[in-house]
């Protein structure tokens, strides 16, 4: 399959799953009534469900999927490691820590956007720590700095849960960390979209650099790639994309690992081409999983992050097994 045909196929799949996300839910409604309620105007419970619940949920599914898939592809290209994913530099864990502190302190109860804003602050602090720790070192220093920040954020999150005097707050924290697109509104969409869009633009700018990095850092530098500048753009792009995604959807893992791995053979293993394909593939995976959680257990609120982990873990095991067979 040629690259333009692959992109066309992925785009059509995103559109189809977006429509499916609008039409599938706990309330079983005829398709014609659902579409007329969405586009035809009017008042009542059905237009409210379509416009205020399902439409923002579907939009966030696309946005979160694009952010995670694109970030995973960019990180794998930069680090030249097919096992890399956004959590490797600690953005997800730090954003989760910010959200956990907001929930535990009661700050999240003050206004609707307090929790996602706290998560974004956590992601921003993570970027500053990574830049401070990694300094002017290479990819190894970036990985080590990310692991250190991720470990610290996870430990502090566990500490907050351990010392929580309020069992209801602890329960809310645990469920939020499982990841979900349920009960989101256009407030979350409009807050996250500008930040995600900034991240997408920054990551798109890394395409040429990570293509040349396939030849090695020295060869890339000799071809005019500013490695420090490339790393700064990459960290900023991943932080904006993944930080905003975590802020509005909680912890949703494995998308940035699974999607680039599946699509890499279809793009000729070219990192720059993999970026757009993985963005579309990430949207497909998240939309599919979000539709699945509403179909599998419609009355039990199966969490998106839980289903994604159940799907992603076997793929991760397969990756490790293949690498073991090559060694």
């Amino acid at each position: 399959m040629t690259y333009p045909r692959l992109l066309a196929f992925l785009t059509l799949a995103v559109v189809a799953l977006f429509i499916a996300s609008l039409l599938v839910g706990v309330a079983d409604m005829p398709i014609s009534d659902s579409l007329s309620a969405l586009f035809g105007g009017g008042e009542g419970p059905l237009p409210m469900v379509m416009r205020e619940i399902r439409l923002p949920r579907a939009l966030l599914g696309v946005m979160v999927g694009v952010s995670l898939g694109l970030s995973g592809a960019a990180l794998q290209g930069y680090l030249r490691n097919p096992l890399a994913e956004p959590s490797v530099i600690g953005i997800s864990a730090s954003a989760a820590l910010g959200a956990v502190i907001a929930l535990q302190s009661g700050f999240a109860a003050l206004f609707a956007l307090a929790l996602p804003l706290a998560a974004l602050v956590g992601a921003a602090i993570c970027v500053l720590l990574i830049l401070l720790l990694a300094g002017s070192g290479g990819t190894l220093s970036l990985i080590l700095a990310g692991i250190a920040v991720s470990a610290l954020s996870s430990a502090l999150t566990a500490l907050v849960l351990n010392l929580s005097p309020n069992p209801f707050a602890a329960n809310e924290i645990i469920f939020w960390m499982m990841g979900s697109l349920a009960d989101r509104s256009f407030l979350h969409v409009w807050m996250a979209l500008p930040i995600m869009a900034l991240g997408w633009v920054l990551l798109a700018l890394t395409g040429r650099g990570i293509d040349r990095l396939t030849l090695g850092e020295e060869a890339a530098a000799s071809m005019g790639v500013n490695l420090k500048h490339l790393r700064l753009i990459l960290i900023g792009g991943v932080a904006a994309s993944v930080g905003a995604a975590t802020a509005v959807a909680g912890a949703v893992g494995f998308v940035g690992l699974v999607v680039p791995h599946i699509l890499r053979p279809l793009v000729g293993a070219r990192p720059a081409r993999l970026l757009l394909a993985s963005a579309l593939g990430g949207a497909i995976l998240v939309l599919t999983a979000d539709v699945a959680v509403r179909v599998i257990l419609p009355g039990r609120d199966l969490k998106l992050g839980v289903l994604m982990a159940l799907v992603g873990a076997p793929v991760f095991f397969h990756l490790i097994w293949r690498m073991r067979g090559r060694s």
Side-chain angles (χ1 to χ4, degrees):
M1 182 183 294
T2 62
Y3 184 64
R5 287 183 179 179
L6 174 64
L7 294 182
F9 173 77
L10 293 174
T11 302
L12 289 174
V14 171
V15 173
L17 286 165
F18 182 84
I19 295 172
S21 180
L22 290 173
L23 300 178
V24 174
V26 176
D28 188 13
M29 298 176 287
I31 294 177
S32 58
D33 291 348
S34 299
L35 294 178
S36 62
L38 179 62
F39 299 108
E43 301 294 335
L46 184 54
M48 180 176 294
V49 168
M50 294 301 299
R51 296 175 193 166
E52 303 299 328
I53 298 177
R54 292 190 181 178
L55 182 57
R57 181 169 184 166
L59 289 172
L60 284 173
V62 174
M63 292 160 54
V64 170
V66 168
S67 296
L68 297 177
L70 180 59
S71 297
L75 278 172
Q76 290 181 16
Y78 178 78
L79 299 175
R80 287 158 288 166
N81 186 338
L83 298 181
E85 65 164 343
S87 63
V88 77
I89 59 173
I91 299 293
S92 301
S94 299
L97 174 61
V100 165
I101 292 174
L103 287 168
Q104 178 57 35
S105 64
F107 181 59
L110 296 180
F111 62 103
L113 295 180
L115 190 148
L117 287 174
L120 289 173
V121 170
I125 293 174
C126 174
V127 172
L128 295 177
L129 286 175
I130 288 174
L131 294 176
L132 181 64
L133 291 172
S136 58
T139 56
L140 179 60
S141 63
L142 175 63
I143 294 173
L144 292 176
I147 291 173
V149 173
S150 180
L152 177 62
S153 299
S154 298
L156 291 175
T157 299
L159 179 64
V160 172
L161 283 168
N162 183 227
L163 300 179
S164 175
N166 186 346
F168 298 102
N171 187 61
E172 187 178 4
I173 289 169
I174 292 171
F175 275 103
W176 182 87
M177 291 179 65
M178 291 181 183
S180 177
L181 295 176
D183 302 322
R184 303 304 191 265
S185 68
F186 273 107
L187 281 174
H188 296 87
V189 173
W190 298 129
M191 187 210 69
L193 183 58
I195 302 171
M196 287 184 179
L198 173 62
W200 300 342
V201 171
L202 291 175
L203 291 175
L205 294 176
T206 65
R208 181 177 296 180
I210 61 177
D211 252 356
R212 295 178 178 179
L213 268 177
T214 57
L215 303 174
E217 291 188 4
E218 293 183 1
S222 68
M223 296 172 69
V225 177
N226 187 328
L227 297 178
K228 293 181 180 178
H229 188 241
L230 178 63
R231 182 175 65 177
L232 185 62
I233 293 177
L234 178 84
I235 294 174
V238 172
S241 301
V242 178
T246 305
V248 296
V252 180
F254 288 101
V255 178
L257 172 68
V258 171
V259 172
H261 169 67
I262 293 174
L263 295 176
R264 186 172 288 107
L266 302 178
V267 298
R270 288 184 56 181
R273 285 190 169 187
L274 187 59
L275 294 178
L276 180 55
S278 293
L280 295 171
I284 290 171
L285 184 57
V286 172
L287 284 173
T288 302
D290 190 48
V291 170
V293 299
R294 286 178 268 176
V295 172
I296 296 173
L297 293 173
R300 297 294 300 274
D301 192 23
L302 177 64
K303 296 299 182 182
L304 178 65
V306 175
L307 181 62
M308 201 65 70
L310 290 173
V311 173
V315 176
F316 190 72
F317 292 149
H318 174 67
L319 275 171
I320 296 173
W321 184 262
R322 285 184 59 185
M323 294 182 67
R324 177 175 175 266
R326 293 173 184 172
S327 60

